[in-house]
Amino acid sequence: MTKRQRMEATTLTDVVAKTTVASNAVEGAVNIATHSGTFHCDEALACGLLKLLPRYADAVIVRTRSPEELAKCEVAVDVGATYEHENQRYDHHQKEFGSTLGDEYKTKLSSAGLVYKHYGWECLEALVGGPGALDDKTMEIIYSKIYRGFVEHVDGIDNGIPAADGAENYRVTTTLSSRVGKLNPDWNEDGSDGVRNDKFKSAMALCMTEFNEVVQGLVHSWLPAREIVVSAMDARHLVDPSGQIIRLDQFCPWSSHMYDIEKELGLEADENTQILYALFADSGGTWRVRAVAENEGSFACRKKLPFCGLRDDALSEASGIKGCVFIHAGGFIGGVESYEGALEMAKLALKA
């Protein structure tokens, strides 16, 4: 796919910039309703996604809670207390609502997730070059990855679902949802409908710019890396008889693919077959040993490297490996000058 075949960020910005955001439905136009007052990430993303579709590209965004105005709108998101796809109503606030993206998902949808569930495939096609630009299997992968990596946290935050159980070790205050929230007028600023409607366009632009960046990153950087990881997984027993060390011939976004391939091969559930270490050259020509995380997004390793916190000669002396550079204090990564040394370090770690 060439650069010309995908929707550029400037095009998205133009779409949002030309959007009319009003407090009342516009006669003769296609109208998409959402609630007035303080806006949130989920409806900003939901409206932005709908604007990717040709039939809604010129739609007016109507921010209202008036039943009379809602009735004039072809689509309503995050308002109206109704979820009826056949009538294009996508609210999630009603007591009985509990829909997820599918049986394998646990997070209750927000208006963003609802729009993604019903229109996400079309939205992705609009960003990657149109229908048929990517085969169905690839589209299914992208569809799932985008939900897991972008939309789901918007759903979770809007529904008040914590990312993990237990006490927080620190606060995360720079999520997309929090940054959209900060676009609202402060308590001591003009909070009139006109001001909020104008700021809502900025919220849509922020959501769609970042959504597009993630999609393009997956298609043009992450997907091409799969072949490198497949080759590394196929050759894992040549690297070490255990099959638990892989060598990447070229550094790339590897870990997510590795987890997917492990699952496909039935390796992930057995600690005797799952991958524990990945070897790759860094930009300076030395080699890195990366301890594989327990799962995607986790900071905990399946098996840490030994000699945590040691460097240079002290590390070489302790390990018996020439040319050692470092082992991180956290034990998740280390550096050795040569591939042979990195492999020796990984083999020592297996036995530790």
Side-chain angles (χ1 to χ4, degrees), residues 3-22:
K3 216 171 182 182
R4 293 181 180 179
Q5 289 176 297
R6 66 191 192 192
M7 183 175 286
E8 297 293 340
T10 51
T11 305
L12 285 173
T13 303
D14 289 344
V15 169
V16 174
K18 294 175 182 177
T19 297
T20 298
V21 180

mmCIF file with all atom_site columns, all heavy atoms in Angstrom, residues 3-22:
data_model
loop_
_atom_site.group_PDB
_atom_site.id
_atom_site.type_symbol
_atom_site.label_atom_id
_atom_site.label_alt_id
_atom_site.label_comp_id
_atom_site.label_asym_id
_atom_site.label_entity_id
_atom_site.label_seq_id
_atom_site.pdbx_PDB_ins_code
_atom_site.Cartn_x
_atom_site.Cartn_y
_atom_site.Cartn_z
_atom_site.occupancy
_atom_site.B_iso_or_equiv
_atom_site.pdbx_formal_charge
_atom_site.auth_seq_id
_atom_site.auth_comp_id
_atom_site.auth_asym_id
_atom_site.auth_atom_id
_atom_site.pdbx_PDB_model_num
ATOM 1   N N   . LYS A 1 3  ? 1.585   5.487  0.175  1.00 0.00 ? 3  LYS A N   1
ATOM 2   C CA  . LYS A 1 3  ? 1.120   6.573  1.033  1.00 0.00 ? 3  LYS A CA  1
ATOM 3   C C   . LYS A 1 3  ? -0.158  7.198  0.480  1.00 0.00 ? 3  LYS A C   1
ATOM 4   O O   . LYS A 1 3  ? -1.026  7.645  1.215  1.00 0.00 ? 3  LYS A O   1
ATOM 5   C CB  . LYS A 1 3  ? 2.222   7.619  1.143  1.00 0.00 ? 3  LYS A CB  1
ATOM 6   C CG  . LYS A 1 3  ? 2.316   8.271  2.502  1.00 0.00 ? 3  LYS A CG  1
ATOM 7   C CD  . LYS A 1 3  ? 3.553   9.130  2.585  1.00 0.00 ? 3  LYS A CD  1
ATOM 8   C CE  . LYS A 1 3  ? 3.680   9.745  3.978  1.00 0.00 ? 3  LYS A CE  1
ATOM 9   N NZ  . LYS A 1 3  ? 4.849   10.614 4.083  1.00 0.00 ? 3  LYS A NZ  1
ATOM 10  N N   . ARG A 1 4  ? -0.284  7.221  -0.836 1.00 0.00 ? 4  ARG A N   1
ATOM 11  C CA  . ARG A 1 4  ? -1.449  7.847  -1.439 1.00 0.00 ? 4  ARG A CA  1
ATOM 12  C C   . ARG A 1 4  ? -2.722  7.040  -1.234 1.00 0.00 ? 4  ARG A C   1
ATOM 13  O O   . ARG A 1 4  ? -3.829  7.556  -1.381 1.00 0.00 ? 4  ARG A O   1
ATOM 14  C CB  . ARG A 1 4  ? -1.211  8.042  -2.942 1.00 0.00 ? 4  ARG A CB  1
ATOM 15  C CG  . ARG A 1 4  ? -0.116  9.048  -3.262 1.00 0.00 ? 4  ARG A CG  1
ATOM 16  C CD  . ARG A 1 4  ? 0.054   9.221  -4.759 1.00 0.00 ? 4  ARG A CD  1
ATOM 17  N NE  . ARG A 1 4  ? 1.110   10.176 -5.070 1.00 0.00 ? 4  ARG A NE  1
ATOM 18  C CZ  . ARG A 1 4  ? 1.469   10.487 -6.306 1.00 0.00 ? 4  ARG A CZ  1
ATOM 19  N NH1 . ARG A 1 4  ? 0.862   9.912  -7.339 1.00 0.00 ? 4  ARG A NH1 1
ATOM 20  N NH2 . ARG A 1 4  ? 2.433   11.362 -6.518 1.00 0.00 ? 4  ARG A NH2 1
ATOM 21  N N   . GLN A 1 5  ? -2.573  5.759  -0.923 1.00 0.00 ? 5  GLN A N   1
ATOM 22  C CA  . GLN A 1 5  ? -3.740  4.902  -0.785 1.00 0.00 ? 5  GLN A CA  1
ATOM 23  C C   . GLN A 1 5  ? -4.366  4.965  0.607  1.00 0.00 ? 5  GLN A C   1
ATOM 24  O O   . GLN A 1 5  ? -5.383  4.375  0.846  1.00 0.00 ? 5  GLN A O   1
ATOM 25  C CB  . GLN A 1 5  ? -3.354  3.452  -1.095 1.00 0.00 ? 5  GLN A CB  1
ATOM 26  C CG  . GLN A 1 5  ? -3.063  3.199  -2.551 1.00 0.00 ? 5  GLN A CG  1
ATOM 27  C CD  . GLN A 1 5  ? -2.605  1.780  -2.789 1.00 0.00 ? 5  GLN A CD  1
ATOM 28  O OE1 . GLN A 1 5  ? -1.570  1.343  -2.304 1.00 0.00 ? 5  GLN A OE1 1
ATOM 29  N NE2 . GLN A 1 5  ? -3.378  1.032  -3.531 1.00 0.00 ? 5  GLN A NE2 1
ATOM 30  N N   . ARG A 1 6  ? -3.726  5.648  1.524  1.00 0.00 ? 6  ARG A N   1
ATOM 31  C CA  . ARG A 1 6  ? -4.269  5.721  2.863  1.00 0.00 ? 6  ARG A CA  1
ATOM 32  C C   . ARG A 1 6  ? -4.726  7.142  3.159  1.00 0.00 ? 6  ARG A C   1
ATOM 33  O O   . ARG A 1 6  ? -4.252  8.107  2.561  1.00 0.00 ? 6  ARG A O   1
ATOM 34  C CB  . ARG A 1 6  ? -3.224  5.278  3.886  1.00 0.00 ? 6  ARG A CB  1
ATOM 35  C CG  . ARG A 1 6  ? -2.032  6.194  3.994  1.00 0.00 ? 6  ARG A CG  1
ATOM 36  C CD  . ARG A 1 6  ? -0.933  5.544  4.814  1.00 0.00 ? 6  ARG A CD  1
ATOM 37  N NE  . ARG A 1 6  ? 0.095   6.514  5.171  1.00 0.00 ? 6  ARG A NE  1
ATOM 38  C CZ  . ARG A 1 6  ? 1.269   6.196  5.672  1.00 0.00 ? 6  ARG A CZ  1
ATOM 39  N NH1 . ARG A 1 6  ? 1.553   4.934  5.873  1.00 0.00 ? 6  ARG A NH1 1
ATOM 40  N NH2 . ARG A 1 6  ? 2.152   7.116  5.969  1.00 0.00 ? 6  ARG A NH2 1
ATOM 41  N N   . MET A 1 7  ? -5.651  7.280  4.115  1.00 0.00 ? 7  MET A N   1
ATOM 42  C CA  . MET A 1 7  ? -6.128  8.603  4.466  1.00 0.00 ? 7  MET A CA  1
ATOM 43  C C   . MET A 1 7  ? -5.086  9.306  5.317  1.00 0.00 ? 7  MET A C   1
ATOM 44  O O   . MET A 1 7  ? -4.676  8.800  6.350  1.00 0.00 ? 7  MET A O   1
ATOM 45  C CB  . MET A 1 7  ? -7.461  8.517  5.215  1.00 0.00 ? 7  MET A CB  1
ATOM 46  C CG  . MET A 1 7  ? -8.055  9.879  5.543  1.00 0.00 ? 7  MET A CG  1
ATOM 47  S SD  . MET A 1 7  ? -9.694  9.782  6.306  1.00 0.00 ? 7  MET A SD  1
ATOM 48  C CE  . MET A 1 7  ? -10.693 9.352  4.894  1.00 0.00 ? 7  MET A CE  1
ATOM 49  N N   . GLU A 1 8  ? -4.649  10.465 4.882  1.00 0.00 ? 8  GLU A N   1
ATOM 50  C CA  . GLU A 1 8  ? -3.622  11.192 5.603  1.00 0.00 ? 8  GLU A CA  1
ATOM 51  C C   . GLU A 1 8  ? -4.226  11.985 6.757  1.00 0.00 ? 8  GLU A C   1
ATOM 52  O O   . GLU A 1 8  ? -5.409  12.322 6.764  1.00 0.00 ? 8  GLU A O   1
ATOM 53  C CB  . GLU A 1 8  ? -2.893  12.149 4.653  1.00 0.00 ? 8  GLU A CB  1
ATOM 54  C CG  . GLU A 1 8  ? -2.154  11.451 3.543  1.00 0.00 ? 8  GLU A CG  1
ATOM 55  C CD  . GLU A 1 8  ? -0.980  10.630 4.046  1.00 0.00 ? 8  GLU A CD  1
ATOM 56  O OE1 . GLU A 1 8  ? -0.498  10.890 5.168  1.00 0.00 ? 8  GLU A OE1 1
ATOM 57  O OE2 . GLU A 1 8  ? -0.544  9.725  3.329  1.00 0.00 ? 8  GLU A OE2 1
ATOM 58  N N   . ALA A 1 9  ? -3.378  12.304 7.740  1.00 0.00 ? 9  ALA A N   1
ATOM 59  C CA  . ALA A 1 9  ? -3.832  13.063 8.902  1.00 0.00 ? 9  ALA A CA  1
ATOM 60  C C   . ALA A 1 9  ? -4.388  14.423 8.491  1.00 0.00 ? 9  ALA A C   1
ATOM 61  O O   . ALA A 1 9  ? -5.337  14.919 9.096  1.00 0.00 ? 9  ALA A O   1
ATOM 62  C CB  . ALA A 1 9  ? -2.676  13.238 9.882  1.00 0.00 ? 9  ALA A CB  1
ATOM 63  N N   . THR A 1 10 ? -3.797  15.031 7.430  1.00 0.00 ? 10 THR A N   1
ATOM 64  C CA  . THR A 1 10 ? -4.289  16.333 6.980  1.00 0.00 ? 10 THR A CA  1
ATOM 65  C C   . THR A 1 10 ? -5.719  16.217 6.467  1.00 0.00 ? 10 THR A C   1
ATOM 66  O O   . THR A 1 10 ? -6.534  17.126 6.650  1.00 0.00 ? 10 THR A O   1
ATOM 67  C CB  . THR A 1 10 ? -3.387  16.896 5.875  1.00 0.00 ? 10 THR A CB  1
ATOM 68  O OG1 . THR A 1 10 ? -3.206  15.902 4.860  1.00 0.00 ? 10 THR A OG1 1
ATOM 69  C CG2 . THR A 1 10 ? -2.032  17.272 6.438  1.00 0.00 ? 10 THR A CG2 1
ATOM 70  N N   . THR A 1 11 ? -6.045  15.104 5.811  1.00 0.00 ? 11 THR A N   1
ATOM 71  C CA  . THR A 1 11 ? -7.408  14.891 5.331  1.00 0.00 ? 11 THR A CA  1
ATOM 72  C C   . THR A 1 11 ? -8.369  14.782 6.499  1.00 0.00 ? 11 THR A C   1
ATOM 73  O O   . THR A 1 11 ? -9.464  15.357 6.481  1.00 0.00 ? 11 THR A O   1
ATOM 74  C CB  . THR A 1 11 ? -7.485  13.618 4.471  1.00 0.00 ? 11 THR A CB  1
ATOM 75  O OG1 . THR A 1 11 ? -6.529  13.698 3.415  1.00 0.00 ? 11 THR A OG1 1
ATOM 76  C CG2 . THR A 1 11 ? -8.874  13.444 3.886  1.00 0.00 ? 11 THR A CG2 1
ATOM 77  N N   . LEU A 1 12 ? -7.971  14.053 7.536  1.00 0.00 ? 12 LEU A N   1
ATOM 78  C CA  . LEU A 1 12 ? -8.821  13.936 8.721  1.00 0.00 ? 12 LEU A CA  1
ATOM 79  C C   . LEU A 1 12 ? -9.042  15.296 9.360  1.00 0.00 ? 12 LEU A C   1
ATOM 80  O O   . LEU A 1 12 ? -10.151 15.622 9.783  1.00 0.00 ? 12 LEU A O   1
ATOM 81  C CB  . LEU A 1 12 ? -8.156  12.999 9.736  1.00 0.00 ? 12 LEU A CB  1
ATOM 82  C CG  . LEU A 1 12 ? -8.200  11.511 9.426  1.00 0.00 ? 12 LEU A CG  1
ATOM 83  C CD1 . LEU A 1 12 ? -7.353  10.753 10.436 1.00 0.00 ? 12 LEU A CD1 1
ATOM 84  C CD2 . LEU A 1 12 ? -9.626  10.998 9.461  1.00 0.00 ? 12 LEU A CD2 1
ATOM 85  N N   . THR A 1 13 ? -7.977  16.077 9.449  1.00 0.00 ? 13 THR A N   1
ATOM 86  C CA  . THR A 1 13 ? -8.089  17.411 10.035 1.00 0.00 ? 13 THR A CA  1
ATOM 87  C C   . THR A 1 13 ? -9.064  18.267 9.244  1.00 0.00 ? 13 THR A C   1
ATOM 88  O O   . THR A 1 13 ? -9.872  19.005 9.814  1.00 0.00 ? 13 THR A O   1
ATOM 89  C CB  . THR A 1 13 ? -6.711  18.091 10.087 1.00 0.00 ? 13 THR A CB  1
ATOM 90  O OG1 . THR A 1 13 ? -5.815  17.272 10.832 1.00 0.00 ? 13 THR A OG1 1
ATOM 91  C CG2 . THR A 1 13 ? -6.804  19.457 10.739 1.00 0.00 ? 13 THR A CG2 1
ATOM 92  N N   . ASP A 1 14 ? -8.999  18.159 7.922  1.00 0.00 ? 14 ASP A N   1
ATOM 93  C CA  . ASP A 1 14 ? -9.909  18.921 7.066  1.00 0.00 ? 14 ASP A CA  1
ATOM 94  C C   . ASP A 1 14 ? -11.362 18.498 7.298  1.00 0.00 ? 14 ASP A C   1
ATOM 95  O O   . ASP A 1 14 ? -12.266 19.344 7.358  1.00 0.00 ? 14 ASP A O   1
ATOM 96  C CB  . ASP A 1 14 ? -9.553  18.732 5.590  1.00 0.00 ? 14 ASP A CB  1
ATOM 97  C CG  . ASP A 1 14 ? -8.261  19.434 5.206  1.00 0.00 ? 14 ASP A CG  1
ATOM 98  O OD1 . ASP A 1 14 ? -7.807  20.303 5.980  1.00 0.00 ? 14 ASP A OD1 1
ATOM 99  O OD2 . ASP A 1 14 ? -7.699  19.087 4.154  1.00 0.00 ? 14 ASP A OD2 1
ATOM 100 N N   . VAL A 1 15 ? -11.581 17.183 7.427  1.00 0.00 ? 15 VAL A N   1
ATOM 101 C CA  . VAL A 1 15 ? -12.942 16.679 7.657  1.00 0.00 ? 15 VAL A CA  1
ATOM 102 C C   . VAL A 1 15 ? -13.512 17.262 8.936  1.00 0.00 ? 15 VAL A C   1
ATOM 103 O O   . VAL A 1 15 ? -14.653 17.739 8.984  1.00 0.00 ? 15 VAL A O   1
ATOM 104 C CB  . VAL A 1 15 ? -12.946 15.134 7.710  1.00 0.00 ? 15 VAL A CB  1
ATOM 105 C CG1 . VAL A 1 15 ? -14.296 14.619 8.209  1.00 0.00 ? 15 VAL A CG1 1
ATOM 106 C CG2 . VAL A 1 15 ? -12.646 14.557 6.338  1.00 0.00 ? 15 VAL A CG2 1
ATOM 107 N N   . VAL A 1 16 ? -12.708 17.236 9.997  1.00 0.00 ? 16 VAL A N   1
ATOM 108 C CA  . VAL A 1 16 ? -13.175 17.760 11.281 1.00 0.00 ? 16 VAL A CA  1
ATOM 109 C C   . VAL A 1 16 ? -13.341 19.277 11.215 1.00 0.00 ? 16 VAL A C   1
ATOM 110 O O   . VAL A 1 16 ? -14.321 19.822 11.721 1.00 0.00 ? 16 VAL A O   1
ATOM 111 C CB  . VAL A 1 16 ? -12.213 17.362 12.415 1.00 0.00 ? 16 VAL A CB  1
ATOM 112 C CG1 . VAL A 1 16 ? -12.619 18.032 13.723 1.00 0.00 ? 16 VAL A CG1 1
ATOM 113 C CG2 . VAL A 1 16 ? -12.198 15.846 12.594 1.00 0.00 ? 16 VAL A CG2 1
ATOM 114 N N   . ALA A 1 17 ? -12.386 19.967 10.592 1.00 0.00 ? 17 ALA A N   1
ATOM 115 C CA  . ALA A 1 17 ? -12.442 21.432 10.523 1.00 0.00 ? 17 ALA A CA  1
ATOM 116 C C   . ALA A 1 17 ? -13.695 21.920 9.803  1.00 0.00 ? 17 ALA A C   1
ATOM 117 O O   . ALA A 1 17 ? -14.254 22.977 10.142 1.00 0.00 ? 17 ALA A O   1
ATOM 118 C CB  . ALA A 1 17 ? -11.190 21.965 9.827  1.00 0.00 ? 17 ALA A CB  1
ATOM 119 N N   . LYS A 1 18 ? -14.157 21.150 8.810  1.00 0.00 ? 18 LYS A N   1
ATOM 120 C CA  . LYS A 1 18 ? -15.344 21.544 8.042  1.00 0.00 ? 18 LYS A CA  1
ATOM 121 C C   . LYS A 1 18 ? -16.651 21.120 8.707  1.00 0.00 ? 18 LYS A C   1
ATOM 122 O O   . LYS A 1 18 ? -17.735 21.430 8.204  1.00 0.00 ? 18 LYS A O   1
ATOM 123 C CB  . LYS A 1 18 ? -15.260 20.942 6.641  1.00 0.00 ? 18 LYS A CB  1
ATOM 124 C CG  . LYS A 1 18 ? -14.113 21.494 5.793  1.00 0.00 ? 18 LYS A CG  1
ATOM 125 C CD  . LYS A 1 18 ? -14.017 20.774 4.455  1.00 0.00 ? 18 LYS A CD  1
ATOM 126 C CE  . LYS A 1 18 ? -12.843 21.290 3.643  1.00 0.00 ? 18 LYS A CE  1
ATOM 127 N NZ  . LYS A 1 18 ? -12.689 20.549 2.352  1.00 0.00 ? 18 LYS A NZ  1
ATOM 128 N N   . THR A 1 19 ? -16.542 20.401 9.819  1.00 0.00 ? 19 THR A N   1
ATOM 129 C CA  . THR A 1 19 ? -17.731 19.899 10.492 1.00 0.00 ? 19 THR A CA  1
ATOM 130 C C   . THR A 1 19 ? -18.449 21.022 11.225 1.00 0.00 ? 19 THR A C   1
ATOM 131 O O   . THR A 1 19 ? -17.827 21.820 11.930 1.00 0.00 ? 19 THR A O   1
ATOM 132 C CB  . THR A 1 19 ? -17.362 18.793 11.505 1.00 0.00 ? 19 THR A CB  1
ATOM 133 O OG1 . THR A 1 19 ? -16.794 17.697 10.791 1.00 0.00 ? 19 THR A OG1 1
ATOM 134 C CG2 . THR A 1 19 ? -18.582 18.319 12.270 1.00 0.00 ? 19 THR A CG2 1
ATOM 135 N N   . THR A 1 20 ? -19.743 21.059 11.072 1.00 0.00 ? 20 THR A N   1
ATOM 136 C CA  . THR A 1 20 ? -20.574 21.973 11.839 1.00 0.00 ? 20 THR A CA  1
ATOM 137 C C   . THR A 1 20 ? -21.001 21.286 13.126 1.00 0.00 ? 20 THR A C   1
ATOM 138 O O   . THR A 1 20 ? -21.542 20.186 13.086 1.00 0.00 ? 20 THR A O   1
ATOM 139 C CB  . THR A 1 20 ? -21.827 22.388 11.044 1.00 0.00 ? 20 THR A CB  1
ATOM 140 O OG1 . THR A 1 20 ? -21.429 23.078 9.855  1.00 0.00 ? 20 THR A OG1 1
ATOM 141 C CG2 . THR A 1 20 ? -22.739 23.286 11.879 1.00 0.00 ? 20 THR A CG2 1
ATOM 142 N N   . VAL A 1 21 ? -20.729 21.931 14.254 1.00 0.00 ? 21 VAL A N   1
ATOM 143 C CA  . VAL A 1 21 ? -21.202 21.439 15.547 1.00 0.00 ? 21 VAL A CA  1
ATOM 144 C C   . VAL A 1 21 ? -22.209 22.448 16.062 1.00 0.00 ? 21 VAL A C   1
ATOM 145 O O   . VAL A 1 21 ? -21.873 23.621 16.286 1.00 0.00 ? 21 VAL A O   1
ATOM 146 C CB  . VAL A 1 21 ? -20.046 21.253 16.548 1.00 0.00 ? 21 VAL A CB  1
ATOM 147 C CG1 . VAL A 1 21 ? -20.577 20.730 17.880 1.00 0.00 ? 21 VAL A CG1 1
ATOM 148 C CG2 . VAL A 1 21 ? -18.994 20.304 15.993 1.00 0.00 ? 21 VAL A CG2 1
ATOM 149 N N   . ALA A 1 22 ? -23.434 22.010 16.235 1.00 0.00 ? 22 ALA A N   1
ATOM 150 C CA  . ALA A 1 22 ? -24.528 22.917 16.593 1.00 0.00 ? 22 ALA A CA  1
ATOM 151 C C   . ALA A 1 22 ? -25.299 22.378 17.790 1.00 0.00 ? 22 ALA A C   1
ATOM 152 O O   . ALA A 1 22 ? -25.061 21.266 18.257 1.00 0.00 ? 22 ALA A O   1
ATOM 153 C CB  . ALA A 1 22 ? -25.460 23.087 15.393 1.00 0.00 ? 22 ALA A CB  1
#
